[in-house]
PDB file of all heavy atoms in Angstrom:
ATOM      1  N   ALA J 253    -111.769  82.773 -89.184  1.00  0.00           N
ATOM      2  CA  ALA J 253    -112.146  84.075 -88.628  1.00  0.00           C
ATOM      3  C   ALA J 253    -110.896  84.972 -88.295  1.00  0.00           C
ATOM      4  O   ALA J 253    -110.908  86.102 -88.459  1.00  0.00           O
ATOM      5  CB  ALA J 253    -112.967  83.854 -87.345  1.00  0.00           C
ATOM      6  N   ILE J 254    -109.829  84.271 -87.866  1.00  0.00           N
ATOM      7  CA  ILE J 254    -108.619  84.969 -87.574  1.00  0.00           C
ATOM      8  C   ILE J 254    -108.070  85.638 -88.823  1.00  0.00           C
ATOM      9  O   ILE J 254    -107.655  86.789 -88.828  1.00  0.00           O
ATOM     10  CB  ILE J 254    -107.524  83.986 -86.972  1.00  0.00           C
ATOM     11  CG1 ILE J 254    -107.954  83.639 -85.519  1.00  0.00           C
ATOM     12  CG2 ILE J 254    -106.137  84.681 -86.980  1.00  0.00           C
ATOM     13  CD1 ILE J 254    -107.102  82.510 -84.924  1.00  0.00           C
ATOM     14  N   TRP J 255    -108.037  84.891 -89.963  1.00  0.00           N
ATOM     15  CA  TRP J 255    -107.528  85.375 -91.196  1.00  0.00           C
ATOM     16  C   TRP J 255    -108.397  86.371 -91.923  1.00  0.00           C
ATOM     17  O   TRP J 255    -107.889  87.341 -92.439  1.00  0.00           O
ATOM     18  CB  TRP J 255    -107.279  84.192 -92.155  1.00  0.00           C
ATOM     19  CG  TRP J 255    -106.290  83.166 -91.741  1.00  0.00           C
ATOM     20  CD1 TRP J 255    -105.160  83.408 -91.011  1.00  0.00           C
ATOM     21  CD2 TRP J 255    -106.371  81.768 -92.011  1.00  0.00           C
ATOM     22  NE1 TRP J 255    -104.466  82.238 -90.862  1.00  0.00           N
ATOM     23  CE2 TRP J 255    -105.216  81.202 -91.440  1.00  0.00           C
ATOM     24  CE3 TRP J 255    -107.221  80.897 -92.638  1.00  0.00           C
ATOM     25  CZ2 TRP J 255    -104.874  79.843 -91.510  1.00  0.00           C
ATOM     26  CZ3 TRP J 255    -106.911  79.590 -92.762  1.00  0.00           C
ATOM     27  CH2 TRP J 255    -105.759  79.083 -92.193  1.00  0.00           C
ATOM     28  N   ARG J 256    -109.702  86.107 -91.927  1.00  0.00           N
ATOM     29  CA  ARG J 256    -110.626  86.879 -92.753  1.00  0.00           C
ATOM     30  C   ARG J 256    -111.527  87.779 -91.980  1.00  0.00           C
ATOM     31  O   ARG J 256    -112.244  88.573 -92.600  1.00  0.00           O
ATOM     32  CB  ARG J 256    -111.512  85.921 -93.637  1.00  0.00           C
ATOM     33  CG  ARG J 256    -110.747  84.849 -94.398  1.00  0.00           C
ATOM     34  CD  ARG J 256    -109.723  85.335 -95.337  1.00  0.00           C
ATOM     35  NE  ARG J 256    -110.262  86.102 -96.380  1.00  0.00           N
ATOM     36  CZ  ARG J 256    -109.548  86.639 -97.430  1.00  0.00           C
ATOM     37  NH1 ARG J 256    -108.247  86.342 -97.512  1.00  0.00           N
ATOM     38  NH2 ARG J 256    -110.086  87.328 -98.379  1.00  0.00           N
ATOM     39  N   GLY J 257    -111.521  87.753 -90.669  1.00  0.00           N
ATOM     40  CA  GLY J 257    -112.375  88.625 -89.859  1.00  0.00           C
ATOM     41  C   GLY J 257    -113.808  88.328 -89.945  1.00  0.00           C
ATOM     42  O   GLY J 257    -114.692  89.182 -89.637  1.00  0.00           O
ATOM     43  N   ILE J 258    -114.155  87.119 -90.442  1.00  0.00           N
ATOM     44  CA  ILE J 258    -115.555  86.750 -90.584  1.00  0.00           C
ATOM     45  C   ILE J 258    -115.732  85.281 -90.160  1.00  0.00           C
ATOM     46  O   ILE J 258    -114.952  84.505 -90.627  1.00  0.00           O
ATOM     47  CB  ILE J 258    -116.116  87.069 -91.958  1.00  0.00           C
ATOM     48  CG1 ILE J 258    -117.559  86.663 -92.138  1.00  0.00           C
ATOM     49  CG2 ILE J 258    -115.287  86.404 -93.039  1.00  0.00           C
ATOM     50  CD1 ILE J 258    -118.211  87.217 -93.356  1.00  0.00           C
ATOM     51  N   LYS J 259    -116.738  85.055 -89.259  1.00  0.00           N
ATOM     52  CA  LYS J 259    -116.931  83.724 -88.720  1.00  0.00           C
ATOM     53  C   LYS J 259    -117.890  82.947 -89.644  1.00  0.00           C
ATOM     54  O   LYS J 259    -119.087  83.324 -89.731  1.00  0.00           O
ATOM     55  CB  LYS J 259    -117.442  83.811 -87.343  1.00  0.00           C
ATOM     56  CG  LYS J 259    -117.527  82.561 -86.560  1.00  0.00           C
ATOM     57  CD  LYS J 259    -116.262  82.257 -85.825  1.00  0.00           C
ATOM     58  CE  LYS J 259    -116.465  81.154 -84.896  1.00  0.00           C
ATOM     59  NZ  LYS J 259    -117.122  81.518 -83.638  1.00  0.00           N
ATOM     60  N   PRO J 260    -117.449  81.882 -90.304  1.00  0.00           N
ATOM     61  CA  PRO J 260    -118.385  81.196 -91.204  1.00  0.00           C
ATOM     62  C   PRO J 260    -119.308  80.251 -90.429  1.00  0.00           C
ATOM     63  O   PRO J 260    -119.069  79.885 -89.332  1.00  0.00           O
ATOM     64  CB  PRO J 260    -117.438  80.330 -92.068  1.00  0.00           C
ATOM     65  CG  PRO J 260    -116.216  80.166 -91.201  1.00  0.00           C
ATOM     66  CD  PRO J 260    -116.108  81.310 -90.308  1.00  0.00           C
ATOM     67  N   GLU J 261    -120.404  79.909 -91.059  1.00  0.00           N
ATOM     68  CA  GLU J 261    -121.399  78.996 -90.465  1.00  0.00           C
ATOM     69  C   GLU J 261    -120.843  77.582 -90.693  1.00  0.00           C
ATOM     70  O   GLU J 261    -120.303  77.221 -91.704  1.00  0.00           O
ATOM     71  CB  GLU J 261    -122.697  79.238 -91.317  1.00  0.00           C
ATOM     72  CG  GLU J 261    -123.947  78.670 -90.679  1.00  0.00           C
ATOM     73  CD  GLU J 261    -124.307  77.377 -91.376  1.00  0.00           C
ATOM     74  OE1 GLU J 261    -124.082  77.172 -92.577  1.00  0.00           O
ATOM     75  OE2 GLU J 261    -124.741  76.475 -90.654  1.00  0.00           O
ATOM     76  N   VAL J 262    -121.005  76.766 -89.610  1.00  0.00           N
ATOM     77  CA  VAL J 262    -120.386  75.411 -89.601  1.00  0.00           C
ATOM     78  C   VAL J 262    -121.316  74.269 -89.898  1.00  0.00           C
ATOM     79  O   VAL J 262    -120.880  73.199 -90.321  1.00  0.00           O
ATOM     80  CB  VAL J 262    -119.577  75.142 -88.303  1.00  0.00           C
ATOM     81  CG1 VAL J 262    -118.465  76.053 -88.090  1.00  0.00           C
ATOM     82  CG2 VAL J 262    -120.552  75.119 -87.098  1.00  0.00           C
ATOM     83  N   GLU J 263    -122.615  74.481 -89.619  1.00  0.00           N
ATOM     84  CA  GLU J 263    -123.612  73.374 -89.701  1.00  0.00           C
ATOM     85  C   GLU J 263    -123.564  72.580 -90.976  1.00  0.00           C
ATOM     86  O   GLU J 263    -123.508  71.386 -90.991  1.00  0.00           O
ATOM     87  CB  GLU J 263    -124.982  73.911 -89.441  1.00  0.00           C
ATOM     88  CG  GLU J 263    -125.212  74.566 -88.095  1.00  0.00           C
ATOM     89  CD  GLU J 263    -125.372  73.575 -86.928  1.00  0.00           C
ATOM     90  OE1 GLU J 263    -125.499  72.382 -87.175  1.00  0.00           O
ATOM     91  OE2 GLU J 263    -125.248  74.072 -85.762  1.00  0.00           O
ATOM     92  N   THR J 264    -123.632  73.339 -92.032  1.00  0.00           N
ATOM     93  CA  THR J 264    -123.774  72.695 -93.338  1.00  0.00           C
ATOM     94  C   THR J 264    -122.491  71.848 -93.665  1.00  0.00           C
ATOM     95  O   THR J 264    -122.565  70.758 -94.235  1.00  0.00           O
ATOM     96  CB  THR J 264    -123.974  73.740 -94.517  1.00  0.00           C
ATOM     97  OG1 THR J 264    -124.870  74.656 -94.055  1.00  0.00           O
ATOM     98  CG2 THR J 264    -124.380  73.082 -95.831  1.00  0.00           C
ATOM     99  N   VAL J 265    -121.337  72.400 -93.382  1.00  0.00           N
ATOM    100  CA  VAL J 265    -120.089  71.721 -93.599  1.00  0.00           C
ATOM    101  C   VAL J 265    -120.026  70.479 -92.792  1.00  0.00           C
ATOM    102  O   VAL J 265    -119.627  69.382 -93.306  1.00  0.00           O
ATOM    103  CB  VAL J 265    -118.874  72.693 -93.283  1.00  0.00           C
ATOM    104  CG1 VAL J 265    -117.519  72.012 -93.555  1.00  0.00           C
ATOM    105  CG2 VAL J 265    -118.959  73.948 -93.994  1.00  0.00           C
ATOM    106  N   ILE J 266    -120.459  70.558 -91.560  1.00  0.00           N
ATOM    107  CA  ILE J 266    -120.429  69.370 -90.700  1.00  0.00           C
ATOM    108  C   ILE J 266    -121.398  68.285 -91.321  1.00  0.00           C
ATOM    109  O   ILE J 266    -121.015  67.103 -91.449  1.00  0.00           O
ATOM    110  CB  ILE J 266    -120.791  69.664 -89.245  1.00  0.00           C
ATOM    111  CG1 ILE J 266    -119.791  70.597 -88.575  1.00  0.00           C
ATOM    112  CG2 ILE J 266    -121.050  68.371 -88.402  1.00  0.00           C
ATOM    113  CD1 ILE J 266    -120.214  71.145 -87.207  1.00  0.00           C
ATOM    114  N   ASP J 267    -122.543  68.726 -91.699  1.00  0.00           N
ATOM    115  CA  ASP J 267    -123.536  67.755 -92.279  1.00  0.00           C
ATOM    116  C   ASP J 267    -122.967  67.107 -93.535  1.00  0.00           C
ATOM    117  O   ASP J 267    -123.085  65.902 -93.698  1.00  0.00           O
ATOM    118  CB  ASP J 267    -124.861  68.508 -92.639  1.00  0.00           C
ATOM    119  CG  ASP J 267    -125.607  68.925 -91.376  1.00  0.00           C
ATOM    120  OD1 ASP J 267    -125.231  68.418 -90.262  1.00  0.00           O
ATOM    121  OD2 ASP J 267    -126.523  69.729 -91.480  1.00  0.00           O
ATOM    122  N   ASN J 268    -122.322  67.916 -94.384  1.00  0.00           N
ATOM    123  CA  ASN J 268    -121.769  67.424 -95.610  1.00  0.00           C
ATOM    124  C   ASN J 268    -120.677  66.369 -95.370  1.00  0.00           C
ATOM    125  O   ASN J 268    -120.540  65.396 -96.034  1.00  0.00           O
ATOM    126  CB  ASN J 268    -121.298  68.490 -96.553  1.00  0.00           C
ATOM    127  CG  ASN J 268    -122.489  69.275 -97.146  1.00  0.00           C
ATOM    128  OD1 ASN J 268    -123.580  68.817 -97.104  1.00  0.00           O
ATOM    129  ND2 ASN J 268    -122.243  70.453 -97.649  1.00  0.00           N
ATOM    130  N   LEU J 269    -119.796  66.732 -94.409  1.00  0.00           N
ATOM    131  CA  LEU J 269    -118.689  65.860 -94.083  1.00  0.00           C
ATOM    132  C   LEU J 269    -119.248  64.512 -93.478  1.00  0.00           C
ATOM    133  O   LEU J 269    -118.726  63.435 -93.778  1.00  0.00           O
ATOM    134  CB  LEU J 269    -117.717  66.503 -93.112  1.00  0.00           C
ATOM    135  CG  LEU J 269    -116.775  67.528 -93.734  1.00  0.00           C
ATOM    136  CD1 LEU J 269    -116.016  68.209 -92.633  1.00  0.00           C
ATOM    137  CD2 LEU J 269    -115.824  66.862 -94.725  1.00  0.00           C
ATOM    138  N   ARG J 270    -120.326  64.674 -92.719  1.00  0.00           N
ATOM    139  CA  ARG J 270    -120.887  63.423 -92.131  1.00  0.00           C
ATOM    140  C   ARG J 270    -121.432  62.548 -93.191  1.00  0.00           C
ATOM    141  O   ARG J 270    -121.217  61.337 -93.190  1.00  0.00           O
ATOM    142  CB  ARG J 270    -121.984  63.910 -91.159  1.00  0.00           C
ATOM    143  CG  ARG J 270    -122.668  62.784 -90.452  1.00  0.00           C
ATOM    144  CD  ARG J 270    -121.848  62.197 -89.344  1.00  0.00           C
ATOM    145  NE  ARG J 270    -121.568  63.105 -88.206  1.00  0.00           N
ATOM    146  CZ  ARG J 270    -120.608  62.932 -87.308  1.00  0.00           C
ATOM    147  NH1 ARG J 270    -119.746  61.856 -87.381  1.00  0.00           N
ATOM    148  NH2 ARG J 270    -120.406  63.809 -86.347  1.00  0.00           N
ATOM    149  N   ILE J 271    -122.050  63.138 -94.170  1.00  0.00           N
ATOM    150  CA  ILE J 271    -122.591  62.322 -95.268  1.00  0.00           C
ATOM    151  C   ILE J 271    -121.423  61.629 -96.039  1.00  0.00           C
ATOM    152  O   ILE J 271    -121.490  60.526 -96.350  1.00  0.00           O
ATOM    153  CB  ILE J 271    -123.433  63.159 -96.231  1.00  0.00           C
ATOM    154  CG1 ILE J 271    -124.729  63.677 -95.547  1.00  0.00           C
ATOM    155  CG2 ILE J 271    -123.761  62.453 -97.532  1.00  0.00           C
ATOM    156  CD1 ILE J 271    -125.498  64.785 -96.160  1.00  0.00           C
ATOM    157  N   ALA J 272    -120.414  62.450 -96.358  1.00  0.00           N
ATOM    158  CA  ALA J 272    -119.208  61.891 -97.072  1.00  0.00           C
ATOM    159  C   ALA J 272    -118.600  60.779 -96.257  1.00  0.00           C
ATOM    160  O   ALA J 272    -118.153  59.751 -96.846  1.00  0.00           O
ATOM    161  CB  ALA J 272    -118.168  63.021 -97.270  1.00  0.00           C
ATOM    162  N   LEU J 273    -118.558  60.917 -94.928  1.00  0.00           N
ATOM    163  CA  LEU J 273    -117.941  59.854 -94.056  1.00  0.00           C
ATOM    164  C   LEU J 273    -118.728  58.521 -94.219  1.00  0.00           C
ATOM    165  O   LEU J 273    -118.107  57.487 -94.277  1.00  0.00           O
ATOM    166  CB  LEU J 273    -118.014  60.282 -92.594  1.00  0.00           C
ATOM    167  CG  LEU J 273    -116.822  60.989 -91.974  1.00  0.00           C
ATOM    168  CD1 LEU J 273    -117.100  61.248 -90.471  1.00  0.00           C
ATOM    169  CD2 LEU J 273    -115.571  60.156 -92.089  1.00  0.00           C
TER     170      LEU J 273
END
Side-chain angles (χ1 to χ4, degrees):
I254 288 170
W255 295 326
R256 309 300 298 185
I258 179 165
K259 187 88 169 282
E261 193 260 325
V262 295
E263 300 282 346
T264 316
V265 181
I266 296 171
D267 291 347
N268 289 344
L269 284 173
R270 183 72 67 196
I271 292 166
L273 265 182

